Amino acid sequence: MRIKNITVYGIRLPLKQPFKIAYDTYEDIESLVVSIETSSGITGWGEAVVDQHVSGETWQTARSVITQELAPLLIGRTPDHISAFHHAAERRTRHNPSAKAALDIALHDLLAKQYDMPLFSLLGGRFHKVLNLPSVISMLDPDEMARQAEEACRQGFDSIKIKLGDAPEADIERIARVREAISAETSLRVDANQGWSAKQALKVINESRSYHVDWYEQPVFIENLDALARVTRATDAVIMADEPIHGTRDMLQLIRLGAADMVNIKLMKSSGLHAARCMAEVGMASDIPCQIGSMVESSIATLAGAHLALAHPNIIANDLVGPSMISCDVADLPGDGTHIELGDSPGLGVDVDPERVRELSIFTDTID
């Protein structure tokens, strides 16, 4: 079984409502859905969702990197070419992790389908019994955030993640109002998306201590690990790193600096599952638990993250909530919205609707 052709679909995933975080507001999500077809007729699916604030990629640059640089490396190869692909891809073009992730995910999907097993079996087997999802709330007026948090609890969510990073005083009020709206048993997590300085972060952390926040995610600027380390050392609150940590080298630097207590792994930062699994292993060796995050991806990349999260003992949380925010997805996510259910279907276990992909496509490229 060898790779015959690769198709890239440029699609816009419409959101149910605008998603506001510290550094941008999104009306829809620009995604590159990738299908890899083999000589035996099996198709593997992958996805790239870019965030130029994090990786420097745009929709069109990722398209170009996939079609002109990376996809040709795979034509005529077998699906188990994953390690060699990453080696060749890194030599061909530095960085561009989302573009690499799309092909990495599709290769993993193909390989698991070839062996007729669910992807989590290929990644070590089922470790966690279930993947409970948080409800992620956009940065809004404190009253509206509290209302949405209360509604999420009624829907059955047992953890709430709120987006902050506006102004410290407003953020403290948001934390307070949300905590007042939910039960003491409901987990509360906050994500500043780089929105604070170190001093502002410590102000928010110290003044929200009584509201029992599980952890504070990426309080400071992406390129300032020293500031992240200062915040971590200055408080006993749990600090999670996100945007600066793209791969194992970044993990090692974070560990050397003692810059955070947790790490948010995202396939779009790590170039896919191959390195993400290594990052989780490095974290486990250093007592740094991990979360699997998302760039608000469709069910394709979301399920790739879910398989790794289900399989790895050091991945203790996730925010794989993209499909719940999208009004028209390319496939249906298994579960009831509060959790993801992974069965024994081969590969990702995602039944992609080709017609829906074509309807959402702005452009299509084929490499053979």
Side-chain angles (χ1 to χ4, degrees):
M1 181 168 69
R2 294 189 176 273
I3 294 169
K4 183 172 66 174
N5 61 64
I6 298 171
T7 304
V8 179
Y9 303 92
I11 66 175
R12 291 186 182 274
L13 298 168
L15 295 177
K16 295 176 182 176
Q17 58 187 14
F19 185 51
K20 183 179 180 181
I21 60 177
Y23 56 71
D24 212 338
T25 299
Y26 299 90
E27 303 287 342
D28 56 25
I29 299 299
E30 295 177 333
S31 169
L32 296 169
V33 169
V34 171
S35 67
I36 299 181
E37 186 179 351
T38 65
S39 55
S40 59
I42 299 176
T43 299
W45 291 93
E47 182 181 18
V49 173
V50 303
D51 186 336
Q52 63 196 63
H53 303 282
V54 177
S55 68
E57 298 166 286
T58 68
W59 203 30
Q60 291 295 344
T61 61
R63 173 192 185 184
S64 177
V65 167
I66 293 172
T67 58
Q68 298 181 30
E69 303 295 337
L70 301 181
L73 299 174
L74 292 173
I75 301 300
R77 302 283 187 171
T78 55
D80 62 355
H81 193 69
I82 297 173
S83 293
F85 162 70
H86 279 288
H87 181 75
E90 189 64 17
R91 290 171 64 90
R92 178 64 65 89
T93 178
R94 294 278 291 160
H95 308 304
N96 294 285
S98 301
K100 293 170 182 172
L103 295 169
D104 169 279
I105 293 167
L107 288 172
H108 277 87
D109 186 29
L110 272 179
L111 190 59
K113 286 175 177 175
Q114 180 180 349
Y115 290 108
D116 195 29
M117 61 173 60
L119 181 54
F120 64 77
S121 293
L122 198 67
L123 297 173
R126 189 188 294 268
F127 181 84
H128 301 288
K129 292 182 179 179
V130 66
L131 294 179
N132 290 323
L133 297 171
S135 174
V136 177
I137 298 175
S138 179
M139 186 168 61
L140 301 166
D141 177 86
D143 289 338
E144 176 60 19
M145 294 179 76
R147 186 196 68 77
Q148 291 189 20
E150 187 176 19
E151 175 62 24
C153 290
R154 281 198 294 268
Q155 293 172 1
F157 288 95
D158 60 10
S159 62
I160 306 294
K161 176 177 177 177
I162 59 175
K163 293 292 188 174
L164 304 178
D166 187 355
E169 292 77 11
D171 288 336
I172 293 165
E173 184 178 357
R174 289 180 174 110
I175 295 170
R177 295 303 306 277
V178 169
R179 173 48 79 191
E180 291 165 1
I182 63 180
S183 70
E185 293 75 28
T186 303
S187 295
L188 176 58
R189 302 153 185 179
V190 307
D191 183 3
N193 285 112
Q194 314 173 53
W196 302 322
S197 67
K199 286 186 176 181
Q200 289 174 328
L202 290 171
K203 175 182 173 64
V204 175
I205 292 168
N206 290 333
E207 295 189 24
S208 62
R209 188 179 299 274
S210 62
Y211 300 118
H212 306 293
V213 174
D214 284 8
W215 55 73
Y216 298 80
E217 185 176 341
Q218 198 54 46
V220 297
F221 185 54
I222 183 173
E223 293 182 356
N224 200 340
L225 271 185
D226 288 333
L228 189 62
R230 289 200 304 274
V231 172
T232 300
R233 288 194 295 264
T235 177
D236 58 1
V238 176
I239 306 300
M240 177 186 288
D242 178 4
E243 284 92 341
I245 312 305
H246 288 212
T248 51
R249 289 190 181 93
D250 294 331
M251 286 285 291
L252 291 172
Q253 185 180 12
L254 176 137
I255 291 163
R256 285 195 297 268
L257 290 173
D261 306 297
M262 295 181 67
V263 168
N264 190 5
I265 299 172
K266 293 178 179 174
L267 303 188
M268 299 302 131
K269 295 187 301 175
S270 68
S271 301
L273 290 159
H274 187 67
R277 188 180 182 192
C278 295
M279 292 170 68
E281 289 289 320
V282 170
M284 186 160 61
S286 304
D287 295 323
I288 303 287
C290 297
Q291 170 179 282
I292 285 289
S294 167
M295 296 290 195
V296 190
E297 300 140 7
S298 81
S299 291
I300 295 173
T302 296
L303 279 173
H307 279 273
L308 180 58
L310 191 78
H312 206 287
N314 195 42
I315 296 173
I316 66 167
N318 74 83
D319 59 2
L320 298 170
V321 297
S324 68
M325 300 169 65
I326 295 167
S327 61
C328 184
D329 201 349
V330 297
D332 296 324
L333 190 73
D336 67 355
T338 66
H339 69 282
I340 296 176
E341 293 181 359
L342 294 178
D344 295 325
S345 299
L348 291 171
V350 61
D351 188 13
V352 177
D353 184 340
E355 183 59 33
R356 208 180 301 175
V357 171
R358 284 191 289 269
E359 288 175 358
L360 291 169
S361 295
I362 308 299
F363 55 81
T364 304
D365 302 308
T366 299
I367 303 92
D368 52 24

